């Protein structure tokens, strides 16, 4: 079982002070803490679980600057066997389509049974790279997979999370792309010792020409959409604070909510 | 491809642009600025040039062989289950109507399925002028290959300018595959759509970085312009039974043998958690302090006939299953009443619930960000406040 996992190093923005950069189309990345995209962490774990069950190897691929090596080494420490980093100045500004195209060029020469990606990233959150990659590679895909039942006779059986507590059980040909939902497994802990152990492991680095691409295939020219601008979401006026004893407040809340048509 | 043009006669070699460029794409060579291959055409240099020597030549024409003016009308992908149209598709018909009116064009539904003609009529009653319909037993259940083939066939033949989908599991899946097949841009998970009055382009606004930032995305050179839009962002349109419209049928250009996936079954995993459709949600966060403490939330939810939600902090702590988390993919909620208990209001959580009609926030900390977006705020210990509220509702609602 040869499994490829596409992973991304993303900034943690939950509690961070965000500054819009000079272009007005992105945010200032300096000073932010980066880590593996949450969904991708589950995808790496799932790939390693597959390897433990079926044998074979796991290859992790990430597009990004040298710092992305951290993310790749983290995956190696979890149990991935090979790591590939895709980097080139012209990759900057790529949209989901261009990223999928760059990834596909790295994947085409490899042999693989499954390609795993996270459902989406924490930063852009398009959820597009997985299905687009499958389409470019002309293989089927299943999105939002929350369980892999098993692989048999050239087919994989998976569960997909739908809305309203519904799951779809799907059977598809391999090779295939699966986009992995968070919560599918419990990603293993990565210790500092574990990362040290893989510090010397080679990370293969591929640029534009090694991928057989032209500058117009990547970055903004190779993208199908463009960011016009970014801005901060509008801030609300603030709540009307209800004061008094708890008895009085309860009375007010119930009165208001009954009036506004809910709760009754 | 766009080009950055520098007027060598006008340029004074002042280096203002060199300092401004975030990509190191400009350098001074022989006293004038020159641009190298690192340029992303962001335009940052244009504004700082004191002598207006820099011009960005935008690509006006579409890609080769594609005449943008051939593409007309706004389409809405009509998602359905068990013969019923998904609420998000109705919401999009309402919003699509506005876009079509702004462009002075028609609004159409794109409907794929088996025995779904009634859905086509229902779409017309909710604002569509036309419905493009492909019916086949192969389309009985949603499968990527079959739905993509049907949709691509309709889009290639009738050339819509804009196609919008619900940002549901199905909408996100099929839109991604269609966009790749016909090679056009797709903006996922939008919360705002409008037409630029000058360029007539669709301005697609969406949260990025977990909702910390909003981004407006354009698809300039490819058609159709495609977006998926979060459920519950736009209001449901009024139904008008007197509306009539045309149904245009096309066949499905793919056989069962070409569909690479097979649905084995559907499983109802948890029927009690239907946050997206709930009218009342009582949600708990970090302030609860433990899984057993969720009982105060459940009790109030039960009295109100509402659903139980949770913040990421509560889910990550393992106090309540993942299905209850508000603010995740597909879990943007817009209930009539949202009661946030012990939730500080991280931006991700806010993004998932702030369009609720009435938000009541209960928190010990008067500075909690949740109070910025709530309609009503109560600074209190929730273990005191919630049981009293529950009692009061019980009494007044006679339950």
């Amino acid at each position: 079982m040869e499994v490829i996992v596409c992973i991304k190093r993303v900034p943690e923005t939950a509690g961070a002070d965000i500054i819009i950069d000079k272009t007005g189309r992105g945010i200032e990345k300096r000073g932010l803490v980066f880590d593996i995209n949450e969904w991708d962490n589950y995808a790496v774990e799932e790939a390693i679980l597959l390897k433990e069950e079926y044998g074979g190897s796991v290859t992790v691929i990430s597009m990004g600057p040298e710092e992305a090596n951290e993310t790749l080494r983290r995956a190696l420490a979890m149990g991935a066997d090979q790591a590939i980093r895709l980097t080139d100045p012209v990759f900057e500004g790529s949209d989901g389509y261009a990223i999928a195209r760059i990834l596909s060029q790295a994947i085409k020469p490899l042999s693989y049974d499954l390609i795993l990606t996270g459902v989406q990233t924490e930063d852009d959150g398009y959820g597009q790279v997985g299905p687009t990659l499958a389409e470019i590679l002309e293989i089927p895909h299943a999105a939002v997979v929350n369980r892999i039942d098993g692989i048999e006779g050239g087919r994989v059986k998976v569960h997909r999370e739908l809305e309203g507590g519904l799951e779809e059980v799907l059977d598809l040909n391999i090779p295939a792309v699966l986009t992995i939902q968070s919560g599918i497994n419990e990603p293993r802990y990565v210790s500092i010792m574990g990362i040290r152990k893989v510090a010397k492991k080679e990370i293969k680095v591929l640029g534009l020409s090694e991928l057989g691409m032209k500058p117009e295939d990547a970055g903004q020219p190779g993208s199908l959409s463009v960011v016009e601008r970014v801005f901060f979401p509008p801030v609300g006026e603030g709540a009307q604070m209800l004061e008094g004893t708890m008895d009085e407040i309860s009375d007010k809340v119930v009165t208001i909510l009954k009036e506004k048509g809910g709760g009754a | 491809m766009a080009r950055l043009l520098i007027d060598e006669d006008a340029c004074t070699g002042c280096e203002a642009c060199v300092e401004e460029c975030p990509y190191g794409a400009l350098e001074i060579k022989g006293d004038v600025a020159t641009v190298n291959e690192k340029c992303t055409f962001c335009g940052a240099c244009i504004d700082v040039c004191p002598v207006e020597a820099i011009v960005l030549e935008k690509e006006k024409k579409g890609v080769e062989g594609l005449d943008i003016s051939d593409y007309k009308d706004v389409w809405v992908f009509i998602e359905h289950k068990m013969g019923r149209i998904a609420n998000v598709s109705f919401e999009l018909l309402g919003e699509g109507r506005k876009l079509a009116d702004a462009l002075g064009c028609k609004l159409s539904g794109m409907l794929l399925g088996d025995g779904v003609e009634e859905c086509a009529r229902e779409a017309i009653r909710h604002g569509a002028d036309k419905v493009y319909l492909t019916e086949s037993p192969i389309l009985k259940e949603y499968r990527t290959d079959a739905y993509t083939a049907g949709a691509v066939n309709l889009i290639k033949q009738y050339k819509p300018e804009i196609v919008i989908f619900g940002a549901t599991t199905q909408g996100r899946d099929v839109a991604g595959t269609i966009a790749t097949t016909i090679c056009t841009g797709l903006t996922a998970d939008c919360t705002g759509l409008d037409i630029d009055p000058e360029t007539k382009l669709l301005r697609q606004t969406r949260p990025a970085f977990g909702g910390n930032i909003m981004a407006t995305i354009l698809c300039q050179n490819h058609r159709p312009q495609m977006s998926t839009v979060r459920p519950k962002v736009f209001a449901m349109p009024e139904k008008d039974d007197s509306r009539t419209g045309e149904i245009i049928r096309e066949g499905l250009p793919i056989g069962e043998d070409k569909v690479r996936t097979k649905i084995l079954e559907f499983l109802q995993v948890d029927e009690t958690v239907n946050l997206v459709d709930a009218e009342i949600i009582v949600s708990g966060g970090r302030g609860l302090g433990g899984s057993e403490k969720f009982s105060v939330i459940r009790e109030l939810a039960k009295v109100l006939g509402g659903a139980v939600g949770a913040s990421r902090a509560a889910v990550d702590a393992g106090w309540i299953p993942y299905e209850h988390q508000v603010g995740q993919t597909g879990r943007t909620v817009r209930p009539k009443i949202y009661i946030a208990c012990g939730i500080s209001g991280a931006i991700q959580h806010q993004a998932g619930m702030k369009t609720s009609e009435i938000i009541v926030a209960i928190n010990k900390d008067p500075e909690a960000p949740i109070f910025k977006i709530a309609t009503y705020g109560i600074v209190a210990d929730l273990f005191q406040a919630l049981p009293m509220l529950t009692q009061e509702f019980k009494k007044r609602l006679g339950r």
Side-chain angles (χ1 to χ4, degrees), chain A residues 13 38 120 123-124 135 141 161 163-165 167 169 171 226 228-229 231 239-240 242 247 251 255 263, chain B residues 169 172-173 177 206 209 212 214 216 218 262 264-265 267-269 312 331 371 375 377 388 396-397:
Chain A
T13 50
E38 184 189 347
Q120 60 183 49
D123 53 0
D124 293 333
E135 207 53 34
H141 76 268
E161 182 187 303
E163 286 83 4
E167 274 184 19
V169 185
D171 177 69
V226 58
E228 187 190 39
R229 67 176 189 120
F231 56 97
Q240 178 190 333
L242 303 178
D247 265 331
D251 183 64
T255 306
Chain B
T169 314
R172 283 166 63 116
D173 192 62
T177 317
R206 64 187 301 275
F209 298 102
N212 281 291
M214 303 299 290
T216 302
L218 304 175
K262 201 168 99 191
L264 302 175
E265 58 182 322
L267 303 173
Q268 189 66 50
V269 184
R312 178 172 174 167
R331 297 209 189 91
F371 289 128
T375 331
M388 290 187 77
R396 303 265 286 269
L397 300 172

Side-chain angles (χ1 to χ4, degrees), chain A residues 13 20 22-23 25 27 38-39 92 97 120 122-128 132 135 138-141 143 157 159-161 163-173 181-182 224-233 236 238-242 246-247 249-251 253-258 260 262-264, chain B residues 1 19-20 22-23 41-42 144 168-169 172-173 177 180-181 183-188 203 205-206 208-220 222 260-270 280 312 322 328-329 331 337 348 358 371-372 374-379 385 388-389 392-393 396-397:
Chain A
T13 50
I20 292 175
K22 281 193 237 167
T23 67
R25 295 174 189 187
I27 62 165
E38 184 189 347
W39 281 270
E92 180 77 32
Y97 176 78
Q120 60 183 49
E122 290 168 66
D123 53 0
D124 293 333
Y126 269 50
Q128 203 180 332
T132 301
E135 207 53 34
E138 298 180 349
I139 59 176
H141 76 268
K157 189 173 151 193
H159 292 228
R160 297 180 58 221
E161 182 187 303
E163 286 83 4
L166 201 64
E167 274 184 19
E168 178 185 278
V169 185
L170 195 70
D171 177 69
L172 61 164
N173 292 335
Q181 176 66 310
S182 56
L224 300 173
S225 58
V226 58
V227 179
E228 187 190 39
R229 67 176 189 120
V230 299
F231 56 97
F232 290 108
Q240 178 190 333
M241 302 307 284
L242 303 178
M246 209 46 235
D247 265 331
I249 292 175
S250 300
D251 183 64
V253 171
V254 176
T255 306
I256 291 166
L257 296 188
K258 278 197 78 176
K260 303 267 163 108
Chain B
M1 202 172 142
E19 280 165 33
E20 189 67 19
Y23 302 105
F41 314 107
C42 72
T144 312
T168 57
T169 314
R172 283 166 63 116
D173 192 62
T177 317
T180 312
T181 309
C183 199
T184 191
L186 168 66
T187 306
R203 302 174 75 245
T205 298
R206 64 187 301 275
F209 298 102
N212 281 291
I213 286 279
M214 303 299 290
T216 302
I217 315 285
L218 304 175
C219 171
Q220 292 167 318
H222 301 267
R260 297 167 296 183
T261 55
K262 201 168 99 191
I263 296 171
L264 302 175
E265 58 182 322
F266 288 100
L267 303 173
Q268 189 66 50
V269 184
D270 192 343
I280 300 173
R312 178 172 174 167
Y322 175 78
Q328 275 293 354
T329 318
R331 297 209 189 91
I337 300 171
Q348 281 84 349
I358 300 173
F371 289 128
K372 292 239 165 44
T375 331
Y376 301 101
I378 303 165
V379 179
M388 290 187 77
L389 267 178
E392 191 69 24
F393 272 113
R396 303 265 286 269
L397 300 172

Side-chain angles (χ1 to χ4, degrees), chain B residues 18 45 119 121 132 151 154 160 164-165 179 183 192-193 204 281-282 287 291 325 329 333 348 358 375 382 388 396:
Chain B
V18 178
C45 52
C119 290
R121 296 216 174 80
Y132 293 93
L154 291 171
I164 51 182
F165 303 74
C183 199
L193 297 175
Q204 309 164 92
I281 295 173
V282 187
S291 57
Q325 186 175 331
T329 318
V333 300
Q348 281 84 349
I358 300 173
T375 331
L382 62 97
M388 290 187 77
R396 303 265 286 269

Side-chain angles (χ1 to χ4, degrees), chain B residues 43-321:
Chain B
C45 52
I46 295 168
D47 300 335
V48 298
C49 179
V51 292
E52 293 178 18
I54 309 177
V55 183
L56 183 65
E57 187 187 74
K58 282 191 187 157
E59 188 178 11
K60 289 215 179 61
K61 272 183 65 191
V63 286
E64 222 173 310
L66 178 106
D67 187 351
I68 282 174
S69 63
D70 283 351
Y71 289 76
K72 290 205 169 60
D73 295 350
V74 175
W75 285 17
V76 172
F77 174 74
I78 307 294
E79 186 173 331
H80 56 87
K81 187 98 196 157
M82 314 288 236
R84 287 188 51 205
I85 296 181
N87 283 344
V88 65
S89 301
F90 287 131
E91 293 157 19
L92 293 188
L93 282 167
E95 188 61 17
R97 187 71 260 167
K98 290 182 201 158
L99 298 176
D101 291 345
L103 286 167
C105 68
K106 290 206 157 62
L107 173 70
S108 303
M110 171 166 69
L111 177 61
L112 304 154
D114 186 29
V116 290
E117 199 182 306
E118 185 46 36
C119 290
R121 296 216 174 80
E122 194 65 6
I124 290 165
R125 287 178 208 124
H126 284 84
D129 299 310
K130 286 189 254 184
V131 172
Y132 293 93
L133 173 63
T134 295
E135 289 188 291
S136 159
I138 299 170
L139 298 168
K140 188 165 184 356
E141 299 290 353
Y142 171 77
R143 285 175 301 169
T144 312
D145 288 342
Y147 272 61
T148 301
V152 166
N153 180 49
L154 291 171
I155 290 169
K156 282 195 169 159
Q157 250 183 87
Y158 294 100
K159 298 186 170 29
E161 187 176 3
I162 292 171
V163 188
I164 51 182
F165 303 74
T168 57
T169 314
Q170 185 182 124
R172 283 166 63 116
D173 192 62
V174 76
T177 317
I178 294 168
T180 312
T181 309
I182 56 185
C183 199
T184 191
L186 168 66
T187 306
D189 245 7
C190 297
T191 54
L193 297 175
D194 63 289
I195 303 293
D196 186 311
E198 256 177 54
T199 60
K200 300 290 175 197
L201 284 170
L202 179 65
R203 302 174 75 245
Q204 309 164 92
T205 298
R206 64 187 301 275
F209 298 102
N212 281 291
I213 286 279
M214 303 299 290
T216 302
I217 315 285
L218 304 175
C219 171
Q220 292 167 318
N221 305 327
H222 301 267
R223 288 296 176 273
Q225 302 166 81
M226 290 188 19
S227 336
T228 65
V229 180
R230 283 198 184 171
K232 304 276 173 182
V233 171
F234 298 116
M236 292 275 276
E238 295 283 326
K239 183 177 172 182
D240 178 356
D241 285 323
S242 67
R243 279 185 62 89
T244 54
E246 194 186 350
I247 296 175
I248 299 147
R249 289 174 177 277
E250 288 292 339
L252 181 69
I254 181 176
E256 182 63 44
D257 58 316
K258 291 277 186 271
V259 181
R260 297 167 296 183
T261 55
K262 201 168 99 191
I263 296 171
L264 302 175
E265 58 182 322
F266 288 100
L267 303 173
Q268 189 66 50
V269 184
D270 192 343
E271 286 181 74
T272 58
V273 196
N274 195 348
L275 289 173
V276 176
D277 294 327
E279 295 231 314
I280 300 173
I281 295 173
V282 187
S283 251
R286 196 193 301 273
L288 279 168
S291 57
E292 70 288 354
K293 309 278 177 57
F294 254 91
S295 58
V296 292
I297 303 283
R298 287 183 208 282
E299 273 164 39
L300 179 56
K302 197 173 150 202
V303 170
L304 294 173
V308 174
S311 72
R312 178 172 174 167
V315 171
D316 280 355
W319 300 340
I320 187 159

Side-chain angles (χ1 to χ4, degrees), chain A residues 137-149:
Chain A
L137 294 169
E138 298 180 349
I139 59 176
H141 76 268
V144 201
V145 170
N146 64 4
R147 185 166 147 192
I148 300 179
D149 271 346

